[in-house]
Amino acid sequence: MNFGLKGKRALVCASSRGLGLGCARALAEEGADLVMNARGQSVLEDAAQTIRDEFGVQVETVATDVTTEEGRASLLKAAEGVDILVTNAGGPPPGMWHDWDREDFIRALDANMLAPIALMKALLPGMMDRGWGRVVNITSQSVKAPVPVLGLSNSARAGLTGYVAGTSRQVAGSGVTINNLLPGIHDTDRAEALDRGVSEKEGISMEEARANRCATIPTGRYGTADEFGAACAFLCSQHAGFIVGQNILLDGGAVNATL
Ligand code: NAD
């Protein structure tokens, strides 16, 4: 299958590691040139160089915080005219419903709702003018089924999901699709940090924490960034033009629901 991505250009946010990196690698494998981003330069540049060497595409890097206005301004300067936008940022910290004050919510909203919305507002008009574009937002399974300790994520990502539901239908007629990918547990630094939290709180080993979580997933394992990236590349492909405003779970069957 030819994804039709050769010569396209993609901005992949928060992509020096984990799921963002998986998306960047899969798009590059299909021939897309990239603008990659993360806060720190050295890991980002290493990831970019590996992609240049492996796939022979052009990769520009912008080391900045995507959750700030200044960060987005420098990112958008480098990403002018991109055909594809993959939004992503680190997830909010765990806790309980009574732990968070207004500032905690504002930080979560900035990172996981308002940053992707600002990037879409900036880049959608160009995509619509050119008659082709793809946006994939990395959200979370917490949109479909709340994760009790991730109330900040449950809240902020629900807001983004509502925005995408309405907006995707308004831009689809211009050849631009917006969809959300909802990761369940994937084998990344984020999953390790959450396992560490459980291990410390419950006084069990990391191995036990991981085994307990694997037991809640029908596949019996965590997902990989490569699998996640492949789904992202398909949503960005020429074959996915009829997929609009969807929330696609990649969770090994963990969310126990018929629809
Ligand atoms: P990760 O911690 O492994 O990687 C995060 C990447 O984002 C890194 O490259 C980091 O440098 C970059 N980053 C973080 N904050 C940034 C910022 N403010 N500006 C620019 N770059 C930034 O995380 P991951 O596991 O790949 O998760 C990606 C997203 O998916 C997160 O929002 C996470 O909450 C969500 N998610 C992950 C899982 C999972 O199991 N891994 C499950 C559900 C949701």
Side-chain angles (χ1 to χ4, degrees):
M1 193 184 280
N2 175 4
F3 278 18
L5 293 176
K6 203 163 171 41
K8 301 281 188 203
R9 199 157 161 262
L11 166 58
V12 187
C13 301
S15 54
S16 66
R17 301 180 200 270
L19 304 180
L21 178 58
C23 294
R25 288 181 55 80
L27 289 167
E29 190 171 357
E30 293 303 317
D33 296 321
L34 302 176
V35 178
M36 291 174 69
N37 151 254
R39 281 166 302 188
Q41 180 67 45
S42 99
V43 177
L44 175 63
E45 189 46 43
D46 286 353
Q49 193 54 45
T50 306
I51 288 179
R52 289 183 198 110
D53 294 345
E54 221 171 308
F55 305 116
V57 297
Q58 290 183 23
V59 185
E60 212 175 317
T61 58
V62 184
T64 193
D65 185 338
V66 71
T67 69
T68 67
E69 230 173 285
E70 314 80 70
R72 282 192 297 279
S74 55
L75 204 47
L76 286 167
K77 209 164 148 201
E80 205 185 334
V82 289
D83 309 287
I84 294 165
L85 164 65
V86 180
T87 75
N88 187 27
M96 290 309 290
W97 59 271
H98 44 74
D99 290 339
W100 305 302
D101 57 25
R102 179 181 160 77
E103 285 313 308
D104 297 312
F105 278 100
I106 297 296
R107 265 193 297 278
L109 290 170
D110 269 342
N112 301 120
M113 177 184 170
L114 299 175
I117 289 175
L119 290 168
M120 281 187 266
K121 279 183 67 182
L123 293 170
L124 284 172
M127 294 180 188
M128 294 166 77
D129 284 348
R130 292 185 295 276
W132 196 93
R134 298 282 185 264
V135 178
V136 173
N137 299 294
I138 300 180
T139 68
S140 173
Q141 68 178 0
S142 71
V143 169
K144 293 256 186 193
V147 180
V149 295
L150 291 178
L152 292 172
S153 172
N154 299 339
S155 307
R157 297 188 199 277
L160 174 62
T161 306
Y163 178 85
V164 166
T167 305
S168 58
R169 272 104 185 159
Q170 294 169 58
V171 303
S174 300
V176 179
T177 69
I178 314 177
N179 292 285
N180 301 324
L181 275 181
L182 282 53
I185 307 308
H186 283 72
D187 209 350
T188 67
D189 293 355
R190 166 83 173 165
E192 200 177 315
L194 292 174
D195 283 347
R196 192 170 309 111
V198 170
S199 145
E200 283 162 10
K201 188 160 172 252
E202 297 183 8
I204 58 177
S205 68
M206 282 287 282
E207 291 69 32
E208 278 175 288
R210 188 179 171 111
N212 290 348
R213 269 223 289 185
C214 281
T216 68
I217 306 172
T219 51
R221 65 171 177 89
Y222 291 2
T224 70
D226 283 352
E227 290 170 312
F228 192 88
C232 176
F234 179 75
L235 280 181
C236 294
S237 76
Q238 61 176 341
H239 306 293
F242 209 53
I243 304 177
V244 170
Q246 297 304 299
N247 290 284
I248 298 166
L249 260 177
L250 298 178
D251 71 340
V255 172
N256 191 28
T258 304
L259 287 175

PDB file of all heavy atoms in Angstrom, residues 14-20 37-39 64-67 88-91 112 138-140 157 183-186 188-191, ligand 1:
ATOM      1  N   ALA A  14       6.498  17.163  20.424  1.00  0.00           N
ATOM      2  CA  ALA A  14       6.921  16.305  21.541  1.00  0.00           C
ATOM      3  C   ALA A  14       7.365  14.929  21.026  1.00  0.00           C
ATOM      4  O   ALA A  14       6.784  13.903  21.377  1.00  0.00           O
ATOM      5  CB  ALA A  14       5.784  16.177  22.559  1.00  0.00           C
ATOM      6  N   SER A  15       8.399  14.946  20.189  1.00  0.00           N
ATOM      7  CA  SER A  15       8.713  13.721  19.437  1.00  0.00           C
ATOM      8  C   SER A  15      10.143  13.217  19.607  1.00  0.00           C
ATOM      9  O   SER A  15      10.628  12.454  18.785  1.00  0.00           O
ATOM     10  CB  SER A  15       8.422  13.958  17.946  1.00  0.00           C
ATOM     11  OG  SER A  15       9.089  15.099  17.457  1.00  0.00           O
ATOM     12  N   SER A  16      10.813  13.589  20.697  1.00  0.00           N
ATOM     13  CA  SER A  16      12.167  13.049  20.878  1.00  0.00           C
ATOM     14  C   SER A  16      12.127  11.638  21.459  1.00  0.00           C
ATOM     15  O   SER A  16      13.108  10.900  21.399  1.00  0.00           O
ATOM     16  CB  SER A  16      13.001  13.967  21.784  1.00  0.00           C
ATOM     17  OG  SER A  16      12.487  13.977  23.097  1.00  0.00           O
ATOM     18  N   ARG A  17      11.012  11.271  22.069  1.00  0.00           N
ATOM     19  CA  ARG A  17      10.859   9.948  22.688  1.00  0.00           C
ATOM     20  C   ARG A  17       9.413   9.471  22.539  1.00  0.00           C
ATOM     21  O   ARG A  17       8.537  10.253  22.182  1.00  0.00           O
ATOM     22  CB  ARG A  17      11.096  10.026  24.205  1.00  0.00           C
ATOM     23  CG  ARG A  17      12.427  10.531  24.664  1.00  0.00           C
ATOM     24  CD  ARG A  17      12.403  10.511  26.192  1.00  0.00           C
ATOM     25  NE  ARG A  17      13.400  11.366  26.790  1.00  0.00           N
ATOM     26  CZ  ARG A  17      14.635  10.980  27.110  1.00  0.00           C
ATOM     27  NH1 ARG A  17      15.027   9.756  26.882  1.00  0.00           N
ATOM     28  NH2 ARG A  17      15.479  11.830  27.670  1.00  0.00           N
ATOM     29  N   GLY A  18       9.191   8.237  22.952  1.00  0.00           N
ATOM     30  CA  GLY A  18       7.837   7.728  23.155  1.00  0.00           C
ATOM     31  C   GLY A  18       6.948   7.741  21.921  1.00  0.00           C
ATOM     32  O   GLY A  18       7.384   7.496  20.797  1.00  0.00           O
ATOM     33  N   LEU A  19       5.674   8.048  22.155  1.00  0.00           N
ATOM     34  CA  LEU A  19       4.672   7.934  21.095  1.00  0.00           C
ATOM     35  C   LEU A  19       4.900   8.961  19.996  1.00  0.00           C
ATOM     36  O   LEU A  19       4.697   8.665  18.814  1.00  0.00           O
ATOM     37  CB  LEU A  19       3.264   8.095  21.692  1.00  0.00           C
ATOM     38  CG  LEU A  19       2.921   7.117  22.823  1.00  0.00           C
ATOM     39  CD1 LEU A  19       1.500   7.365  23.333  1.00  0.00           C
ATOM     40  CD2 LEU A  19       3.069   5.676  22.352  1.00  0.00           C
ATOM     41  N   GLY A  20       5.325  10.168  20.362  1.00  0.00           N
ATOM     42  CA  GLY A  20       5.624  11.192  19.357  1.00  0.00           C
ATOM     43  C   GLY A  20       6.741  10.724  18.441  1.00  0.00           C
ATOM     44  O   GLY A  20       6.673  10.872  17.207  1.00  0.00           O
ATOM     45  N   ASN A  37      10.090  18.158  17.513  1.00  0.00           N
ATOM     46  CA  ASN A  37      10.149  19.077  18.649  1.00  0.00           C
ATOM     47  C   ASN A  37      10.225  18.315  19.969  1.00  0.00           C
ATOM     48  O   ASN A  37       9.668  17.238  20.104  1.00  0.00           O
ATOM     49  CB  ASN A  37       8.884  19.973  18.608  1.00  0.00           C
ATOM     50  CG  ASN A  37       8.438  20.436  19.970  1.00  0.00           C
ATOM     51  OD1 ASN A  37       7.447  19.952  20.520  1.00  0.00           O
ATOM     52  ND2 ASN A  37       9.146  21.380  20.534  1.00  0.00           N
ATOM     53  N   ALA A  38      10.966  18.901  20.898  1.00  0.00           N
ATOM     54  CA  ALA A  38      10.946  18.504  22.309  1.00  0.00           C
ATOM     55  C   ALA A  38      11.589  19.650  23.071  1.00  0.00           C
ATOM     56  O   ALA A  38      12.098  20.585  22.448  1.00  0.00           O
ATOM     57  CB  ALA A  38      11.713  17.198  22.533  1.00  0.00           C
ATOM     58  N   ARG A  39      11.563  19.576  24.403  1.00  0.00           N
ATOM     59  CA  ARG A  39      12.111  20.724  25.138  1.00  0.00           C
ATOM     60  C   ARG A  39      13.634  20.752  25.098  1.00  0.00           C
ATOM     61  O   ARG A  39      14.240  21.797  24.969  1.00  0.00           O
ATOM     62  CB  ARG A  39      11.611  20.721  26.580  1.00  0.00           C
ATOM     63  CG  ARG A  39      10.207  21.239  26.700  1.00  0.00           C
ATOM     64  CD  ARG A  39       9.604  20.939  28.034  1.00  0.00           C
ATOM     65  NE  ARG A  39       9.588  19.498  28.299  1.00  0.00           N
ATOM     66  CZ  ARG A  39       8.988  18.929  29.316  1.00  0.00           C
ATOM     67  NH1 ARG A  39       8.353  19.669  30.198  1.00  0.00           N
ATOM     68  NH2 ARG A  39       9.000  17.633  29.465  1.00  0.00           N
ATOM     69  N   THR A  64      11.890  23.398  22.047  1.00  0.00           N
ATOM     70  CA  THR A  64      11.087  24.408  22.736  1.00  0.00           C
ATOM     71  C   THR A  64       9.915  23.739  23.440  1.00  0.00           C
ATOM     72  O   THR A  64       9.580  22.589  23.141  1.00  0.00           O
ATOM     73  CB  THR A  64      10.571  25.466  21.724  1.00  0.00           C
ATOM     74  OG1 THR A  64      10.066  26.574  22.450  1.00  0.00           O
ATOM     75  CG2 THR A  64       9.478  24.910  20.827  1.00  0.00           C
ATOM     76  N   ASP A  65       9.311  24.473  24.350  1.00  0.00           N
ATOM     77  CA  ASP A  65       8.163  23.960  25.092  1.00  0.00           C
ATOM     78  C   ASP A  65       6.882  24.280  24.320  1.00  0.00           C
ATOM     79  O   ASP A  65       6.496  25.446  24.205  1.00  0.00           O
ATOM     80  CB  ASP A  65       8.139  24.620  26.481  1.00  0.00           C
ATOM     81  CG  ASP A  65       7.049  24.049  27.364  1.00  0.00           C
ATOM     82  OD1 ASP A  65       6.073  23.474  26.839  1.00  0.00           O
ATOM     83  OD2 ASP A  65       7.173  24.179  28.593  1.00  0.00           O
ATOM     84  N   VAL A  66       6.228  23.236  23.819  1.00  0.00           N
ATOM     85  CA  VAL A  66       5.045  23.424  22.968  1.00  0.00           C
ATOM     86  C   VAL A  66       3.850  23.980  23.752  1.00  0.00           C
ATOM     87  O   VAL A  66       2.882  24.447  23.176  1.00  0.00           O
ATOM     88  CB  VAL A  66       4.685  22.093  22.249  1.00  0.00           C
ATOM     89  CG1 VAL A  66       4.109  21.074  23.229  1.00  0.00           C
ATOM     90  CG2 VAL A  66       3.723  22.318  21.102  1.00  0.00           C
ATOM     91  N   THR A  67       3.939  23.930  25.069  1.00  0.00           N
ATOM     92  CA  THR A  67       2.800  24.398  25.875  1.00  0.00           C
ATOM     93  C   THR A  67       2.830  25.906  26.108  1.00  0.00           C
ATOM     94  O   THR A  67       1.917  26.460  26.701  1.00  0.00           O
ATOM     95  CB  THR A  67       2.733  23.672  27.244  1.00  0.00           C
ATOM     96  OG1 THR A  67       3.843  24.100  28.038  1.00  0.00           O
ATOM     97  CG2 THR A  67       2.767  22.174  27.077  1.00  0.00           C
ATOM     98  N   ASN A  88       1.093  16.765  20.405  1.00  0.00           N
ATOM     99  CA  ASN A  88       1.466  15.921  21.534  1.00  0.00           C
ATOM    100  C   ASN A  88       2.166  16.792  22.564  1.00  0.00           C
ATOM    101  O   ASN A  88       2.716  17.848  22.231  1.00  0.00           O
ATOM    102  CB  ASN A  88       2.424  14.812  21.051  1.00  0.00           C
ATOM    103  CG  ASN A  88       2.733  13.775  22.107  1.00  0.00           C
ATOM    104  OD1 ASN A  88       1.932  13.534  23.011  1.00  0.00           O
ATOM    105  ND2 ASN A  88       3.908  13.160  22.004  1.00  0.00           N
ATOM    106  N   ALA A  89       2.125  16.387  23.812  1.00  0.00           N
ATOM    107  CA  ALA A  89       2.893  17.019  24.897  1.00  0.00           C
ATOM    108  C   ALA A  89       2.888  16.020  26.041  1.00  0.00           C
ATOM    109  O   ALA A  89       2.133  15.043  26.022  1.00  0.00           O
ATOM    110  CB  ALA A  89       2.239  18.328  25.337  1.00  0.00           C
ATOM    111  N   GLY A  90       3.722  16.248  27.036  1.00  0.00           N
ATOM    112  CA  GLY A  90       3.729  15.359  28.194  1.00  0.00           C
ATOM    113  C   GLY A  90       2.359  15.368  28.872  1.00  0.00           C
ATOM    114  O   GLY A  90       1.618  16.346  28.789  1.00  0.00           O
ATOM    115  N   GLY A  91       2.040  14.262  29.536  1.00  0.00           N
ATOM    116  CA  GLY A  91       0.756  14.157  30.244  1.00  0.00           C
ATOM    117  C   GLY A  91       0.856  14.753  31.641  1.00  0.00           C
ATOM    118  O   GLY A  91       1.941  14.876  32.192  1.00  0.00           O
ATOM    119  N   ASN A 112      -2.593  20.005  27.294  1.00  0.00           N
ATOM    120  CA  ASN A 112      -3.316  18.913  26.638  1.00  0.00           C
ATOM    121  C   ASN A 112      -4.627  19.326  25.966  1.00  0.00           C
ATOM    122  O   ASN A 112      -5.321  18.491  25.410  1.00  0.00           O
ATOM    123  CB  ASN A 112      -3.569  17.777  27.646  1.00  0.00           C
ATOM    124  CG  ASN A 112      -2.276  17.233  28.229  1.00  0.00           C
ATOM    125  OD1 ASN A 112      -2.047  17.274  29.428  1.00  0.00           O
ATOM    126  ND2 ASN A 112      -1.392  16.758  27.357  1.00  0.00           N
ATOM    127  N   ILE A 138      -2.603  13.274  19.675  1.00  0.00           N
ATOM    128  CA  ILE A 138      -2.373  12.162  20.604  1.00  0.00           C
ATOM    129  C   ILE A 138      -3.084  12.529  21.907  1.00  0.00           C
ATOM    130  O   ILE A 138      -2.724  13.515  22.559  1.00  0.00           O
ATOM    131  CB  ILE A 138      -0.866  11.933  20.851  1.00  0.00           C
ATOM    132  CG1 ILE A 138      -0.159  11.602  19.526  1.00  0.00           C
ATOM    133  CG2 ILE A 138      -0.657  10.826  21.884  1.00  0.00           C
ATOM    134  CD1 ILE A 138       1.341  11.364  19.654  1.00  0.00           C
ATOM    135  N   THR A 139      -4.133  11.795  22.245  1.00  0.00           N
ATOM    136  CA  THR A 139      -4.873  12.103  23.480  1.00  0.00           C
ATOM    137  C   THR A 139      -4.682  10.951  24.464  1.00  0.00           C
ATOM    138  O   THR A 139      -3.556  10.699  24.879  1.00  0.00           O
ATOM    139  CB  THR A 139      -6.348  12.433  23.181  1.00  0.00           C
ATOM    140  OG1 THR A 139      -7.054  11.288  22.712  1.00  0.00           O
ATOM    141  CG2 THR A 139      -6.470  13.574  22.178  1.00  0.00           C
ATOM    142  N   SER A 140      -5.728  10.234  24.822  1.00  0.00           N
ATOM    143  CA  SER A 140      -5.574   9.160  25.808  1.00  0.00           C
ATOM    144  C   SER A 140      -6.826   8.309  25.858  1.00  0.00           C
ATOM    145  O   SER A 140      -7.928   8.795  25.571  1.00  0.00           O
ATOM    146  CB  SER A 140      -5.331   9.764  27.194  1.00  0.00           C
ATOM    147  OG  SER A 140      -5.351   8.751  28.181  1.00  0.00           O
ATOM    148  N   ARG A 157      -8.348  16.501  28.282  1.00  0.00           N
ATOM    149  CA  ARG A 157      -8.457  15.827  26.986  1.00  0.00           C
ATOM    150  C   ARG A 157      -9.909  15.752  26.526  1.00  0.00           C
ATOM    151  O   ARG A 157     -10.182  15.716  25.324  1.00  0.00           O
ATOM    152  CB  ARG A 157      -7.824  14.439  27.073  1.00  0.00           C
ATOM    153  CG  ARG A 157      -6.317  14.523  27.371  1.00  0.00           C
ATOM    154  CD  ARG A 157      -5.704  13.163  27.268  1.00  0.00           C
ATOM    155  NE  ARG A 157      -4.426  13.017  27.927  1.00  0.00           N
ATOM    156  CZ  ARG A 157      -3.243  13.360  27.422  1.00  0.00           C
ATOM    157  NH1 ARG A 157      -3.182  13.938  26.247  1.00  0.00           N
ATOM    158  NH2 ARG A 157      -2.129  13.128  28.092  1.00  0.00           N
ATOM    159  N   PRO A 183      -4.097   6.540  23.091  1.00  0.00           N
ATOM    160  CA  PRO A 183      -3.252   5.454  23.579  1.00  0.00           C
ATOM    161  C   PRO A 183      -3.763   4.868  24.891  1.00  0.00           C
ATOM    162  O   PRO A 183      -4.155   5.600  25.804  1.00  0.00           O
ATOM    163  CB  PRO A 183      -1.883   6.120  23.790  1.00  0.00           C
ATOM    164  CG  PRO A 183      -2.162   7.572  23.939  1.00  0.00           C
ATOM    165  CD  PRO A 183      -3.433   7.853  23.182  1.00  0.00           C
ATOM    166  N   GLY A 184      -3.773   3.524  24.945  1.00  0.00           N
ATOM    167  CA  GLY A 184      -3.821   2.851  26.234  1.00  0.00           C
ATOM    168  C   GLY A 184      -2.369   2.754  26.700  1.00  0.00           C
ATOM    169  O   GLY A 184      -1.532   3.562  26.295  1.00  0.00           O
ATOM    170  N   ILE A 185      -2.073   1.752  27.481  1.00  0.00           N
ATOM    171  CA  ILE A 185      -0.722   1.673  28.055  1.00  0.00           C
ATOM    172  C   ILE A 185       0.299   1.264  26.993  1.00  0.00           C
ATOM    173  O   ILE A 185       0.191   0.195  26.384  1.00  0.00           O
ATOM    174  CB  ILE A 185      -0.676   0.654  29.212  1.00  0.00           C
ATOM    175  CG1 ILE A 185      -1.777   0.957  30.238  1.00  0.00           C
ATOM    176  CG2 ILE A 185       0.699   0.677  29.878  1.00  0.00           C
ATOM    177  CD1 ILE A 185      -1.792   2.381  30.734  1.00  0.00           C
ATOM    178  N   HIS A 186       1.271   2.147  26.785  1.00  0.00           N
ATOM    179  CA  HIS A 186       2.370   1.875  25.851  1.00  0.00           C
ATOM    180  C   HIS A 186       3.690   1.913  26.589  1.00  0.00           C
ATOM    181  O   HIS A 186       3.835   2.626  27.576  1.00  0.00           O
ATOM    182  CB  HIS A 186       2.370   2.899  24.710  1.00  0.00           C
ATOM    183  CG  HIS A 186       1.321   2.634  23.681  1.00  0.00           C
ATOM    184  ND1 HIS A 186      -0.014   2.843  23.921  1.00  0.00           N
ATOM    185  CD2 HIS A 186       1.419   2.160  22.412  1.00  0.00           C
ATOM    186  CE1 HIS A 186      -0.701   2.495  22.840  1.00  0.00           C
ATOM    187  NE2 HIS A 186       0.136   2.074  21.913  1.00  0.00           N
ATOM    188  N   THR A 188       6.586   3.277  27.216  1.00  0.00           N
ATOM    189  CA  THR A 188       7.372   4.507  27.057  1.00  0.00           C
ATOM    190  C   THR A 188       7.799   4.978  28.450  1.00  0.00           C
ATOM    191  O   THR A 188       7.399   4.399  29.465  1.00  0.00           O
ATOM    192  CB  THR A 188       6.525   5.628  26.418  1.00  0.00           C
ATOM    193  OG1 THR A 188       5.509   6.005  27.355  1.00  0.00           O
ATOM    194  CG2 THR A 188       5.891   5.199  25.107  1.00  0.00           C
ATOM    195  N   ASP A 189       8.574   6.075  28.468  1.00  0.00           N
ATOM    196  CA  ASP A 189       9.005   6.645  29.762  1.00  0.00           C
ATOM    197  C   ASP A 189       7.814   6.995  30.644  1.00  0.00           C
ATOM    198  O   ASP A 189       7.861   6.890  31.860  1.00  0.00           O
ATOM    199  CB  ASP A 189       9.824   7.921  29.526  1.00  0.00           C
ATOM    200  CG  ASP A 189      11.158   7.623  28.853  1.00  0.00           C
ATOM    201  OD1 ASP A 189      11.472   6.429  28.673  1.00  0.00           O
ATOM    202  OD2 ASP A 189      11.869   8.587  28.495  1.00  0.00           O
ATOM    203  N   ARG A 190       6.741   7.467  29.992  1.00  0.00           N
ATOM    204  CA  ARG A 190       5.533   7.873  30.728  1.00  0.00           C
ATOM    205  C   ARG A 190       4.940   6.672  31.481  1.00  0.00           C
ATOM    206  O   ARG A 190       4.604   6.761  32.651  1.00  0.00           O
ATOM    207  CB  ARG A 190       4.513   8.439  29.745  1.00  0.00           C
ATOM    208  CG  ARG A 190       3.094   8.606  30.247  1.00  0.00           C
ATOM    209  CD  ARG A 190       2.896   9.880  31.007  1.00  0.00           C
ATOM    210  NE  ARG A 190       1.494  10.125  31.347  1.00  0.00           N
ATOM    211  CZ  ARG A 190       1.101  11.003  32.237  1.00  0.00           C
ATOM    212  NH1 ARG A 190       1.988  11.712  32.905  1.00  0.00           N
ATOM    213  NH2 ARG A 190      -0.176  11.191  32.500  1.00  0.00           N
ATOM    214  N   ALA A 191       4.857   5.517  30.782  1.00  0.00           N
ATOM    215  CA  ALA A 191       4.298   4.322  31.409  1.00  0.00           C
ATOM    216  C   ALA A 191       5.194   3.881  32.563  1.00  0.00           C
ATOM    217  O   ALA A 191       4.724   3.463  33.632  1.00  0.00           O
ATOM    218  CB  ALA A 191       4.163   3.206  30.377  1.00  0.00           C
TER     219      ALA A 191
HETATM  220  P1  NAD B   1       6.932  10.240  27.062  1.00  0.00           P
HETATM  221  O1  NAD B   1       7.102  10.867  28.403  1.00  0.00           O
HETATM  222  O2  NAD B   1       7.557   8.926  26.802  1.00  0.00           O
HETATM  223  O3  NAD B   1       7.440  11.230  25.907  1.00  0.00           O
HETATM  224  C1  NAD B   1       7.011  12.525  25.894  1.00  0.00           C
HETATM  225  C2  NAD B   1       7.738  13.292  24.790  1.00  0.00           C
HETATM  226  O4  NAD B   1       7.224  14.591  24.834  1.00  0.00           O
HETATM  227  C3  NAD B   1       9.245  13.421  24.998  1.00  0.00           C
HETATM  228  O5  NAD B   1       9.847  13.499  23.728  1.00  0.00           O
HETATM  229  C4  NAD B   1       9.362  14.774  25.706  1.00  0.00           C
HETATM  230  O6  NAD B   1      10.614  15.371  25.490  1.00  0.00           O
HETATM  231  C5  NAD B   1       8.272  15.545  25.014  1.00  0.00           C
HETATM  232  N1  NAD B   1       7.659  16.617  25.764  1.00  0.00           N
HETATM  233  C6  NAD B   1       7.037  16.519  26.975  1.00  0.00           C
HETATM  234  N2  NAD B   1       6.530  17.717  27.313  1.00  0.00           N
HETATM  235  C7  NAD B   1       6.826  18.563  26.295  1.00  0.00           C
HETATM  236  C8  NAD B   1       6.577  19.947  26.079  1.00  0.00           C
HETATM  237  N3  NAD B   1       5.931  20.667  26.990  1.00  0.00           N
HETATM  238  N4  NAD B   1       7.026  20.520  24.926  1.00  0.00           N
HETATM  239  C9  NAD B   1       7.695  19.782  24.005  1.00  0.00           C
HETATM  240  N5  NAD B   1       7.962  18.472  24.182  1.00  0.00           N
HETATM  241  C10 NAD B   1       7.534  17.883  25.306  1.00  0.00           C
HETATM  242  O7  NAD B   1       5.362  10.201  26.853  1.00  0.00           O
HETATM  243  P2  NAD B   1       4.514   9.194  25.930  1.00  0.00           P
HETATM  244  O8  NAD B   1       4.287   7.943  26.671  1.00  0.00           O
HETATM  245  O9  NAD B   1       5.090   9.147  24.575  1.00  0.00           O
HETATM  246  O10 NAD B   1       3.101   9.939  25.925  1.00  0.00           O
HETATM  247  C11 NAD B   1       2.739  10.910  24.973  1.00  0.00           C
HETATM  248  C12 NAD B   1       1.366  11.442  25.356  1.00  0.00           C
HETATM  249  O11 NAD B   1       0.440  10.358  25.370  1.00  0.00           O
HETATM  250  C13 NAD B   1       1.328  12.060  26.755  1.00  0.00           C
HETATM  251  O12 NAD B   1       0.460  13.171  26.757  1.00  0.00           O
HETATM  252  C14 NAD B   1       0.756  10.951  27.609  1.00  0.00           C
HETATM  253  O13 NAD B   1       0.103  11.423  28.750  1.00  0.00           O
HETATM  254  C15 NAD B   1      -0.205  10.300  26.628  1.00  0.00           C
HETATM  255  N6  NAD B   1      -0.501   8.911  26.991  1.00  0.00           N
HETATM  256  C16 NAD B   1       0.503   8.014  27.082  1.00  0.00           C
HETATM  257  C17 NAD B   1       0.198   6.706  27.450  1.00  0.00           C
HETATM  258  C18 NAD B   1       1.293   5.658  27.588  1.00  0.00           C
HETATM  259  O14 NAD B   1       1.011   4.572  28.072  1.00  0.00           O
HETATM  260  N7  NAD B   1       2.518   5.907  27.186  1.00  0.00           N
HETATM  261  C19 NAD B   1      -1.119   6.347  27.727  1.00  0.00           C
HETATM  262  C20 NAD B   1      -2.124   7.300  27.622  1.00  0.00           C
HETATM  263  C21 NAD B   1      -1.792   8.587  27.250  1.00  0.00           C
END
